[in-house]
Structure formats: C-alpha cells, structure tokens
Amino acid sequence: MAEAACEDADEPGPEDFVYGEEDFVLQDAGWEGDPAGRLSRFDRALLSGWSDRASRGLFRYRLGALPTRALPGAAGLVAQLNARRGSDRRPPQPVLGLRQPFDPAAFHFGRLRRGEQLLRLRRAGSAADPLLVAINASPLSAGHVLLLPEPARPRPQALSEPALRAALEVQLLSAHPGFRVGFNGLGGFASVNHLHLHGLYLPHPLPVESAPARPLQPRGPGLLLRDPAPAFVFFAAGPAELDVVARDVCRAAEHVVEAGLAYNVLATRGEPLEGAAGGRGLRVLLWARRPSFGTKAGDGFNVALCELGGFLPITSETLYNSITEDEALRTIRQHLLPEDELLSLGEDLARLLAE
C-alpha cells in the first residue's frame, strides 16, 4: 500500500501506548457530575492527540458546538445536528455487495497522513500487531476515532475476531461512560471498504445500555426487543470473557452475512442479561438488518450503528428541528427485519453458538 506523503514529514506521528491489565477500567465514571473530570490515561492520551490534530487543521471541518436534543417519547432517542459532516466529508464509497472485495484504487487507510495517526496501542507482553488509533477526519463528535487493525493489509470491511477483541479492550481502557466502539458492515452503511471500527464519545446515556435482554440460551446471546431496533446482545463481565464474546459475535455476524443480511455492532457499558448475577460490564449489540447498497445518502440520517443504538447524527438543520420520534422510528424500521424473521434468526444463532 501507499506510504504517507513526504510532505507529511513535519506532522506529529502516532505515539506508542502500552497498556496492561491494570489499565482496564472495570467500572466507568458514570453520568453523575462531570465524566470529563475522571478520565483514564487512555482517554487523556486520545483526547489530547485529537485536540492537537484539530488545532493543526487536519480535519475536513471544524466541529464546534453541536446542537443536541432528546426527542420526546418512550424510545429515548437523542438527535444531534452536524451539518458540516453532510457537506464536507469525503464521499462514501459505493457498496455493491456483502462480500465486496477490497479495492486498492479506492481510498483506504494505508493513505492516511502521518498527522492523522494518534496512537499505536499494544498490550504489554503481547506479540500481536499494534492497533492504530487515527482521527476520523469527518468526525461525528469530539474524540471520534478510527480503530485500525493492520492498516497496511488489504482487508475488506468484514469483522474479524482479533479486531473485535482488540476493540473491546479499547472500550475497557476508557473511563468515560459515553465512550463506545462499533462497526458498520458492508450493506450497513460502512463508508470505506477497508477493515476499521469506530471509537466515539457520545454525550448521553442510551436505552440499549439497560433495556432488558432475555437470554436465548444459557450462555448467550440475549435478545433485546425494544425500540429503536431489536438487537442480539452479548455480555462480558470483565476482561476474562472478551475472547468468548469476540468469537461468538463474529460467528453470529458471519451467519448473518450467509443469510444475505447486513449487520452493525455497538459495544457499550451496560447491564447483564436478564437473570444473570453481577453488575455492569460490556454489552455488545449485534443488529441484523436488510442490506443497503449503492452510495450513502447525503441528507437527513443514515441508519448505521449510532442510529440503531438511539443516537441520531443529522446533517439537515430543518430535519433536526422538526424530526419526531415517530418519524425517526419509521426511517429506522425500513432497514429492520420483521419480528418473525428476527426470532427465527435468533433460534439459528442460539443453536450455532451452542455447538
């Protein structure tokens, strides 16, 4: 793949960030008070680097204050206006299939500028390649980053177990309750067909963190049936369970693609499944949905991981000011499965993961 341009030589490069078990935050700071005053070592490194790149003009637009409002209604949806993302972002790549090959002629993360790269994350004692943390040059919110496993490799946007495992560790490195990691698959409004996940600081709690999820089998996953979008829920009480969760989510995602469906993934702090003992841990939500092909629309909002989780980044000021919960849910439901298909898929996944 192409190396960074030579004119980037004066820009700061990524810093090495070595972490260990002692850096995992088992209980986040919570929403009471100001979470920004209780950040972890990882949060401080990420946000400091992100602010430095903003001051150097490395983003496609200046983010500024983003108007945000909770939509009245039982679903707990939160809308945020980000008009510049609609007008100034790099055009998303057209997606034509669920297993679209990597295209070296299209934009990929081997073409990132040196200054766009923030951190190389490496677990102490691990022989695995570092996970590169880079700015999203068209950010949804302050601190929005890309998590890039092996960015020099020509890998299409298909979630792998090592990539998800590394991203879940990143989730545990943050003390901020609004930090989430997620993945948009092909047909699920992924913008770039090169393996990447997102890291986001979202400013509000989301109902998917605590909504009841009933187990489909003794070991999991669970099924969450509330608005805005039913999801399969996997739960890790702590670091020791990340391997199993990453494996199960990726096996389930592969089954979803084999069924001709697209998927999105969101990891967040949350409650265990119904009937399980213990406190909060990591919830990993997997949405199976009807695929959307072609190029992303430029107006309103697309239904990807944030929207499925209840957070609506909107690029149109008119729509932001007028949208209601009913209108938002109608848009989201256009991409969802009928309940009978969802329940049948859940039975298939329960059998698959019990093997």
Side-chain angles (χ1 to χ4, degrees):
M1 283 196 182
E3 297 293 331
C6 60
E7 62 264 30
D8 298 342
D10 292 336
E11 295 176 351
E15 297 182 6
D16 289 319
F17 187 98
V18 180
Y19 65 92
E21 191 92 9
E22 68 278 4
D23 290 295
F24 291 145
V25 181
L26 302 184
Q27 294 296 325
D28 61 48
W31 289 102
E32 293 184 5
D34 180 13
R38 295 164 293 181
L39 299 178
S40 67
R41 183 170 73 95
F42 166 78
D43 291 316
R44 292 191 296 272
L46 186 157
L47 293 171
S48 174
W50 198 95
S51 296
D52 172 77
R53 294 340 187 247
S55 71
R56 295 172 184 271
L58 293 176
F59 292 88
R60 297 178 73 90
Y61 49 83
R62 187 173 295 277
L63 202 59
L66 299 176
T68 304
R69 69 185 184 96
L71 302 188
L77 303 181
V78 175
Q80 186 169 83
L81 177 63
N82 189 343
R84 296 290 300 276
R85 183 170 165 87
S87 61
D88 296 355
R89 69 178 301 184
R90 178 186 293 109
Q93 296 171 6
V95 173
L96 305 177
L98 296 173
R99 298 190 188 276
Q100 184 167 317
F102 176 86
D103 180 2
F107 171 79
H108 54 72
F109 300 115
R111 296 179 174 175
L112 288 178
R113 294 173 58 168
R114 173 180 168 86
E116 294 179 271
Q117 303 170 46
L118 299 182
L119 302 170
R120 281 189 298 259
L121 301 184
R122 182 174 62 82
R123 186 163 182 176
S126 172
D129 289 335
L131 179 71
L132 181 63
V133 180
I135 64 170
N136 186 323
S138 302
L140 285 170
S141 59
H144 184 182
V145 294
L146 301 172
L147 308 178
L148 305 175
E150 302 176 296
R153 290 188 59 190
R155 304 178 65 183
Q157 180 69 344
L159 190 59
S160 69
E161 186 177 331
L164 180 57
R165 175 69 168 77
L168 295 180
E169 288 201 350
V170 174
Q171 178 84 62
L172 285 179
L173 289 174
S174 174
H176 195 290
F179 184 77
R180 283 94 176 193
V181 301
F183 178 89
N184 293 321
L186 296 177
F189 288 110
S191 294
V192 177
N193 187 20
H194 189 189
L195 180 57
H196 67 286
L197 296 95
H198 292 267
L200 294 146
Y201 290 88
L202 301 180
H204 288 274
L206 300 175
V208 294
E209 300 167 8
S210 56
R214 63 176 178 85
L216 293 175
Q217 59 168 334
R219 190 171 58 81
L223 179 62
L224 182 155
L225 284 174
R226 65 155 289 157
D227 288 328
F232 300 107
V233 182
F234 302 78
F235 183 79
E241 298 178 9
L242 296 186
D243 284 333
V244 171
V245 167
R247 182 194 66 204
D248 286 354
V249 171
C250 289
R251 289 184 70 195
E254 177 60 23
H255 182 85
V256 167
V257 173
E258 288 178 354
L261 301 170
Y263 66 93
N264 305 79
V265 175
L266 176 69
T268 184
R269 305 283 181 157
E271 300 297 327
L273 305 184
E274 288 183 324
R280 284 166 63 88
L282 292 188
R283 272 191 173 194
V284 183
L285 296 103
L286 170 70
W287 287 281
R289 40 88 61 79
R290 300 192 183 285
S292 298
F293 297 129
T295 303
K296 278 187 178 181
D299 297 324
F301 68 90
N302 292 303
V303 178
L305 68 92
C306 288
E307 294 82 358
L308 292 166
F311 185 80
L312 312 179
I314 295 178
T315 58
S316 162
E317 184 173 4
T318 300
L319 181 62
Y320 170 78
N321 290 327
S322 66
I323 193 167
T324 66
E325 179 182 272
D326 286 344
E327 291 168 341
L329 292 177
R330 278 198 298 272
T331 298
I332 292 170
R333 287 168 182 158
Q334 293 173 9
H335 300 270
L336 304 182
L337 304 180
E339 186 169 327
D340 59 339
E341 290 185 28
L342 181 74
L343 294 176
S344 177
L345 179 60
E347 292 173 359
D348 292 343
L349 293 182
R351 286 193 293 270
L352 172 71
L353 299 178
E355 295 175 356

